[in-house]
Amino acid sequence: MYDALLARSCEKKIVTAVLSVGIAALVTALPLPVAAQVPSLKAGCPAIGLQQGMVNTTSELQTFSADHFSYQMELASAFSARTANQSTTYCMLYEAENFSAKTGSLPNNGRVDIFYWDVVDWSIEKLESGSSYRQSLYQTDDGKQVPSIQSTTVYAFKNSSFAVNAYKAAALKRSKSLISTLVALKANEIQTPSSPADMESVVAQGEPTALAEAPITPVGAVWASGDAELSVATVVHPNLPSGTIEILVEKGKGSQFKQVLIPYARALATAKETSSIPALIGEFRNSPIDFSGGDMTSYASVAEIDVKSMNTSLYPIKQPVVLTLPTGGRTCFLAATFSPVPMPRELQTCNPRIVFGIGD
């Protein structure tokens, strides 16, 4: 149960670690790099500030009601194609802004306390009204098909929802139980696999797919709002003597966050055996990462792998990243990465029932 896992939150200091995949090996601690070189995930992507009429862009201003009050939000989406090594990938951009009037007629100056957009599995807590609080999210997509416009659902507060058209990445797959309603899951209903038998059961239910060959990287996500930015990139180096998976996190210059939670990255760098990664995610769920470097903006998680080994498989997954902003609100978004073990869908979500404990 997650509630049991959360009670054992780890307080260890962050280090970069080397993990041998496919064998039970002790973790070797290494010093963090002075400044991790995070590959640009925004190169060739749409520019922030989406408006209707731009190429491959949707933008809708929607009005909805909650507790007898009327609110407005703008939701926008866009994509662009990027070609590298004769392969085409897509860069997705999603934006959300609260347009509710700042008047005394709305509680908390029109603040939207809970926001969840199913197309991108993105949650925002305490989204204030105004352009300075607009949030943008870049995500990489390795789908082989061009993204298409589909009807998506936005959930607001605890009991409101409305439809909005947006571009959807062709490769995006989500468990129906996660996106049907906000009341579908609670944190204490989720069980984390603790044995190979449990993992086999999860594999059968979640139907994860291992990669047939080394992936094209970097992959990940970039979140931005105002002057703040956070990049979470994964790079796979299959051609080194042993190969590595690197998860590189970087704050934009001047960005201020109360804390940043990335449980999977910490679990990957800490696990002594790959089978323990899912359980460690629960332990690190409330343990923030420590940034390093001269400007304290970088964090790196490195796992040693053997991509060419017959005993090693890489599974494409989405890792939740939770930011606590200076305003006290939280944002959760997903960043593409890779895992040496299949991962339960319930550990790859930003459903506010799970990450924020809403409604518990």
Side-chain angles (χ1 to χ4, degrees):
M1 294 292 185
Y2 253 133
D3 50 356
L5 290 172
L6 297 182
R8 304 198 304 270
S9 295
C10 182
E11 300 296 334
K12 295 181 180 179
K13 184 178 180 181
I14 300 294
V15 295
T16 299
V18 173
L19 169 66
S20 294
V21 172
I23 60 173
L26 295 178
V27 175
T28 303
L30 299 173
L32 279 170
V34 174
Q37 296 298 314
V38 180
S40 174
L41 295 174
K42 299 191 299 181
C45 293
I48 287 176
L50 299 176
Q51 296 180 13
Q52 190 63 45
M54 292 180 173
V55 177
N56 298 330
T57 297
T58 67
S59 180
E60 295 185 9
L61 185 63
Q62 295 285 348
T63 300
F64 65 96
S65 297
D67 297 328
H68 308 293
F69 293 99
S70 182
Y71 296 82
Q72 276 193 326
M73 289 195 66
E74 183 182 64
L75 290 306
S77 68
F79 78 92
S80 61
R82 300 187 297 184
T83 302
N85 299 324
Q86 298 182 338
S87 296
T88 299
T89 59
Y90 296 96
C91 179
M92 312 297 298
L93 173 59
Y94 297 91
E95 296 189 325
E97 182 176 340
N98 182 359
F99 268 69
S100 304
K102 292 184 177 180
T103 66
S105 62
L106 290 177
N108 300 312
N109 288 322
R111 184 182 71 200
V112 174
D113 288 339
I114 296 297
F115 163 92
Y116 177 68
W117 197 356
D118 67 353
V119 67
V120 70
D121 209 338
W122 182 15
S123 292
I124 303 174
E125 182 186 51
K126 299 179 181 178
L127 180 57
E128 303 287 350
S129 179
S131 59
S132 60
Y133 298 102
R134 186 182 184 96
Q135 296 194 22
S136 303
L137 178 61
Y138 287 101
Q139 286 191 330
T140 59
D141 171 51
D142 59 356
K144 304 304 180 184
Q145 300 179 7
V146 178
S148 60
I149 297 177
Q150 300 187 28
S151 178
T152 69
T153 303
V154 173
Y155 299 89
F157 296 93
K158 292 185 180 181
N159 54 7
S160 298
S161 64
F162 57 92
V164 61
N165 291 321
Y167 278 105
K168 182 177 181 179
L172 190 64
K173 295 181 180 178
R174 288 287 170 265
S175 169
K176 292 181 180 179
S177 64
L178 296 182
I179 64 176
S180 56
T181 65
L182 285 184
V183 298
L185 292 173
K186 293 183 180 180
N188 58 10
E189 293 175 349
I190 298 174
Q191 297 186 13
T192 302
S194 58
S195 69
D198 289 341
M199 181 62 74
E200 290 178 4
S201 175
V202 168
V203 171
Q205 296 173 15
E207 299 180 353
T209 302
L211 295 172
E213 56 187 18
I216 298 174
T217 58
V219 299
V222 180
W223 173 92
S225 181
D227 295 329
E229 182 176 290
L230 188 82
S231 171
V232 182
T234 294
V235 181
V236 175
H237 301 285
N239 298 321
L240 299 177
S242 59
T244 60
I245 300 175
E246 293 181 282
I247 299 176
L248 308 170
V249 185
E250 186 171 1
K251 293 192 296 185
K253 186 176 181 180
S255 298
Q256 298 294 324
F257 305 110
K258 288 188 175 181
Q259 66 176 18
V260 178
L261 303 173
I262 312 183
Y264 172 72
R266 294 200 61 182
L268 183 68
T270 304
K272 296 179 181 179
E273 298 180 0
T274 58
S275 60
S276 67
I277 291 176
L280 286 171
I281 290 175
E283 294 192 15
F284 288 122
R285 194 170 180 82
N286 288 331
S287 297
I289 63 173
D290 293 332
F291 288 92
S292 66
D295 51 5
M296 300 300 289
T297 59
S298 301
Y299 169 84
S301 170
V302 182
E304 183 179 294
I305 60 171
D306 183 1
V307 176
K308 298 180 181 179
S309 170
M310 299 246 342
N311 297 322
T312 300
S313 296
L314 288 182
Y315 297 85
I317 68 168
K318 303 277 189 176
Q319 61 172 332
V321 179
V322 181
L323 313 177
T324 301
L325 306 177
T327 59
R330 292 172 292 180
T331 291
C332 179
F333 63 88
L334 299 181
T337 187
F338 301 96
S339 171
V341 292
M343 199 64 60
R345 294 293 186 187
E346 289 80 1
L347 298 183
Q348 303 182 61
T349 181
C350 278
N351 189 310
R353 281 282 186 178
I354 299 172
V355 294
F356 299 156
I358 302 301
D360 290 347

